[in-house]
Amino acid sequence: MLKINNYKKVTNIFITLLVSLKLITLVSQKINIIFFIFWSMPFLIFYFFSKKNSIKSYQSFCFILLIYFMSASLRVFGIIPHIYDLAELILIVLFFVHCLFGPRTLRSQM
């Protein structure tokens, strides 16, 4: 099992990867800036709550990741899927599993 500091680093890596991937999608003009800002806000909010070792923040963010998964699934399995959407879907699933085990990791090392 990961230590809390390493677990936070992995969380930060997932957040950075997902926001960077969406930024690449923005630069390639697949989305507009308003959507990017609206999409990135929950990740930035979760970033600050994850610093406080809040178990409820991980549990709440799992629900938000399920919503992101549904929207990414609609884009991937739509008419014209993009490779960025597929990569986003994979990262969202991995981040969901990571956040699912967050409370367990935090509780065991407190």
Side-chain angles (χ1 to χ4, degrees):
M1 191 170 287
L2 290 175
K3 293 183 179 180
I4 291 178
N5 289 336
N6 292 338
Y7 200 82
K8 284 184 184 180
K9 288 178 186 175
V10 173
T11 300
N12 294 338
I13 288 170
F14 272 121
I15 291 172
T16 305
L17 285 173
L18 280 165
V19 172
S20 301
L21 186 63
K22 201 50 112 172
L23 185 63
I24 291 170
T25 308
L26 174 70
V27 170
S28 66
Q29 297 180 348
K30 306 275 187 228
I31 61 171
N32 58 14
I33 188 77
I34 308 278
F35 181 76
F36 174 74
I37 293 170
F38 181 74
W39 188 90
S40 300
M41 273 304 170
F43 286 102
L44 297 175
I45 293 168
F46 175 67
Y47 173 77
F48 291 112
F49 280 112
S50 69
K51 293 282 185 191
K52 296 180 181 179
N53 293 336
S54 172
I55 292 174
K56 289 196 183 254
S57 68
Y58 278 93
Q59 293 170 340
S60 301
F61 199 67
C62 278
F63 177 72
I64 293 171
L65 285 173
L66 285 175
I67 294 170
Y68 277 46
F69 172 77
M70 290 187 311
S71 68
S73 295
L74 289 174
R75 287 190 314 273
V76 167
F77 300 114
I79 297 171
I80 304 172
H82 297 288
I83 190 69
Y84 302 128
D85 294 332
L86 183 61
E88 179 185 334
L89 184 69
I90 292 169
L91 282 173
I92 286 173
V93 168
L94 291 174
F95 195 32
F96 176 77
V97 172
H98 175 77
C99 285
L100 198 64
F101 289 109
R104 181 180 184 191
T105 303
L106 292 174
R107 201 175 292 136
S108 69
Q109 295 186 10
M110 285 186 155

